[in-house]
Amino acid sequence: MKIVVIGTGYVGLAQGVCLAHLGHDVICVDLDVAKVDALNRGEVPIFERDLPELLHENLLAGRITFTNDLAEAVADNPAVVFVCVQTPQHDDGSCDLSYIERVLRDVGAKIKADTIVVVKSTVPPGTRTVMHEWLNNPEIELAANPEFLRQGTSIQDFLHPDRIVIGVESERAAQVLESLYVGIEAPIFIVSVETAQLTKYAANSMLASRLSFINEIAKIADLVGADIKSVEKLVGLDHRIGEKFLRSSAGFGGGCLPKDTLALCHLGQTVGSEPIFLQSIIEVNDNQPRWFVRKIEKILGNLDGQQVGVWGLSFNQGTDDVRYSPAIRIIEELLERGAKVVVYDPQAMEKAKQVLGQDVMYAASAIEAARGAVALFTLTEWPQFLEVDWLEVKQVLSRPIIFDAKHFLPHQELWEAGFEVHGIGLWRPEDSRQL
Ligand code: NAD
């Protein structure tokens, strides 16, 4: 099938490459000239596991190309156009549809009426009418096919999803879109456009709610002397609850969970559902990095002029994405307090530089970031950080203190090696009996 994918970010690139892998003829369009040139050369501008190999394979097979020219991309009358551009948040939390509007106006003027326009970007229910207006051709069909992938494992998630959700306006669109995913072993659910759109927001808000919930429990654990890691494990062992997304930290981030929860909350307020619960998820998350920094201050005292080392800048391991990364929030709070911050991340240094500029120092390695620091902060759970020589780390730090925002380090081993390890709700074995 001939497919056009508009937007080659984290979602569009995975979508384009995986559809090519399934045997479709794919043309990807992006406004970014340098990105398109790089992709045509087989260079992947983001860090994403398995993506470079799959891109090379499909470029060689001639199943995928990249262009800046939308008119050229749709000239061959594709069966489906996927819209994968960003949908950031407005200041009031609502979803900014301006990128979608631009694409739909452009596409609507250039495609034939039998091409189905599928919005893969996350957009709120209630936007179908306006999106049709932007397409400006009542005969063009609009569909929703929300994406549930996680950055870091996007290729695996695309090829082995839990389910595929397709929101359509007609049986024809359902059949075309179903046939597109032949080769992927997953149940496909055909629903209305609004149901598909709300499912995406509900799924992200659900994940966010579990994280904010356990983060709230972690704060209580901190204050009553309970060990949060044990609490997480014991709560998660209940099969009605499960252990996934029940890991406390200094907050969640990324380009999706925070903005989608906020957008759903805004939608609830707009339609009059009084979304108190959604509001609390956001509030807990907004407070969590501050709570972490307050804990740091309690232990280190005044941070003015003190040098600290930071390991990890991206919002999660496996990605170079720093959008809404709690690491960046924490660093900004540290800088406000006058700390000298030396940072290292195995993949996200370039993206972090665009946000943090010259306000921090960039180290060439994890050890260099720790050298001379009064404390080490581990803010992203990169597996590389588990492989370091802790004795060397202890030698280069001026005090053996670690603040583990993601609660992923081998705490027992570190305590035994003479480190002080802090997090939100992390207690030493003698202070709180652990599993
Ligand atoms: P992104 O910012 O990484 O990529 C968007 C791309 O679209 C950019 O390359 C940009 O240059 C391009 N673009 C913008 N306007 C364009 C236009 N008019 N023509 C051609 N290209 C254009 O965004 P993303 O993270 O891939 O997210 C895309 C959408 O998917 C969002 O709605 C997001 O909420 C949703 N989503 C993201 C994820 C994720 O993990 N990142 C997961 C599920 C859903």
Side-chain angles (χ1 to χ4, degrees), residues 7 9-11 30 35 86-87 121-122 147 151 256 259 323:
Y10 290 93
V11 166
D30 204 288
K35 194 187 257 192
Q86 61 269 53
T87 49
S121 301
T122 306
E147 183 52 65
Q151 285 173 224
C256 292
K259 85 163 168 73
R323 287 179 290 184

Side-chain angles (χ1 to χ4, degrees), residues 360-371:
V360 300
M361 282 166 278
Y362 299 91
S365 67
I367 284 294
E368 286 315 308
R371 194 177 297 283

Side-chain angles (χ1 to χ4, degrees), residues 147-166:
E147 183 52 65
F148 299 96
L149 61 77
R150 293 160 298 173
Q151 285 173 224
T153 53
S154 67
I155 298 300
Q156 286 310 310
D157 290 347
F158 186 96
L159 296 173
H160 307 283
D162 295 329
R163 75 306 205 189
I164 294 171
V165 177
I166 298 173

Side-chain angles (χ1 to χ4, degrees), residues 6-13 29-32 35 84-88 99-100 102-103 106 120-123 146-151 200 204 255-256 259-260 315 321 323:
I6 304 177
T8 57
Y10 290 93
V11 166
L13 198 48
V29 186
D30 204 288
L31 294 177
D32 187 330
K35 194 187 257 192
C84 303
V85 297
Q86 61 269 53
T87 49
Y99 295 88
I100 298 282
R102 177 172 172 180
V103 168
D106 240 16
K120 199 157 240 307
S121 301
T122 306
V123 299
E147 183 52 65
F148 299 96
L149 61 77
R150 293 160 298 173
Q151 285 173 224
K200 172 62 192 171
N204 268 5
C256 292
K259 85 163 168 73
D260 291 347
F315 78 94
D321 194 353
R323 287 179 290 184

Side-chain angles (χ1 to χ4, degrees), residues 183-199:
I184 292 189
E185 299 266 326
I188 296 183
F189 296 92
I190 305 293
V191 292
S192 72
V193 170
E194 285 70 23
T195 302
Q197 292 167 331
L198 185 57
T199 300

